[in-house]
Amino acid sequence: MKIVKFGAAASAKTDERELELLNAFAKTQLKVDEVYIFSVLLCDNEVDRDLERFPVETLKELGELFVGATGICDHEWRSENQVARIYRTELVTDPERLNSLGEPYCYLKGCAYMLRIPQNEELIAQIEGGIKRETSVGCSVKSRIRGGLRCDAGYAADRKRRQSRLLCFAQGTEPCPRKKGDG
């Protein structure tokens, strides 16, 4: 079962530690002026527009699975759409913010890099300018557990009740490892 969650992107500072981590994925040792580093909000513990969410434990597991994943454009798995690679992740908790379930808001932050080459300059400028800032991730999970109010009436029926705020959602648990060639 595949789940897609949406997030945001922002530029990040390149330092020696970050460079060392991302060079683990490069065939040659890249230098600071050869890479553009940015962070992306990959997924979180909030109920999304498809009435799905990831519990914190699943976010931790996904953090390990997303390291090394390729960033693509437009949901098209073609080699020319591969533009970035996630080289580390971090689970972030915002104690000042609660999700819709009253839990501390928690999200999985991905740190990604792309090469500073002519083909990427327009995309880098769009990220820097705040134009390209949306991200989405896809993953497979072994199970979806229903949670929330009124879920006994059936998941599909509750999806139609979104405006009534009777919240029913599915929690993706037990993420599946990426298959070879999945990025």
Side-chain angles (χ1 to χ4, degrees):
M1 151 178 348
K2 189 168 187 156
I3 293 181
V4 176
K5 296 280 285 186
F6 296 90
S11 62
K13 187 176 188 247
T14 305
D15 63 25
E16 291 304 316
R17 178 182 176 270
E18 300 299 306
L19 200 57
E20 185 180 327
L21 291 170
L22 71 84
N23 269 320
F25 296 97
K27 289 190 177 194
T28 62
Q29 294 299 293
L30 299 169
K31 298 177 184 85
V32 171
D33 61 339
E34 295 176 313
V35 295
Y36 174 71
I37 292 180
F38 59 105
S39 63
V40 292
L41 187 160
L42 296 169
C43 46
D44 58 24
N45 68 339
E46 182 59 85
V47 178
D48 68 11
R49 66 182 177 207
D50 293 319
L51 297 175
E52 297 171 328
R53 73 181 292 265
F54 292 118
V56 174
E57 205 50 49
T58 302
L59 291 173
K60 289 177 187 174
E61 293 175 60
L62 285 170
E64 295 173 19
L65 296 176
F66 283 137
V67 172
T70 302
I72 62 167
C73 291
D74 298 327
H75 295 273
E76 291 187 43
W77 288 99
R78 297 178 6 203
S79 61
E80 61 265 20
N81 289 344
Q82 296 178 17
V83 296
R85 181 157 317 277
I86 296 171
Y87 65 91
R88 76 174 175 91
T89 60
E90 176 184 345
L91 190 61
V92 180
T93 301
D94 183 349
E96 304 296 316
R97 180 177 170 192
L98 299 178
N99 67 13
S100 60
L101 304 175
E103 303 168 344
Y105 177 71
C106 188
Y107 65 93
L108 184 60
K109 173 181 161 181
C111 295
Y113 74 97
M114 60 176 37
L115 299 177
R116 285 191 180 273
I117 55 176
Q119 300 93 300
N120 290 338
E121 289 306 315
E122 183 178 338
L123 179 56
I124 291 170
Q126 290 174 338
I127 292 170
E128 285 292 314
I131 304 301
K132 298 278 182 161
R133 49 179 247 152
E134 307 303 319
T135 63
S136 81
V137 298
C139 68
S140 296
V141 294
K142 290 181 183 173
S143 63
R144 287 172 44 155
I145 301 168
R146 282 195 246 165
L149 303 173
R150 302 273 190 155
C151 284
D152 56 329
Y155 181 68
D158 284 309
R159 284 184 67 147
K160 293 177 184 174
R161 286 193 211 118
R162 284 180 77 165
Q163 275 68 31
S164 72
R165 303 303 289 158
L166 295 176
L167 188 60
C168 176
F169 56 89
Q171 297 189 125
T173 62
E174 300 178 73
C176 301
R178 292 191 336 254
K179 296 179 186 132
K180 193 171 182 118
D182 276 355

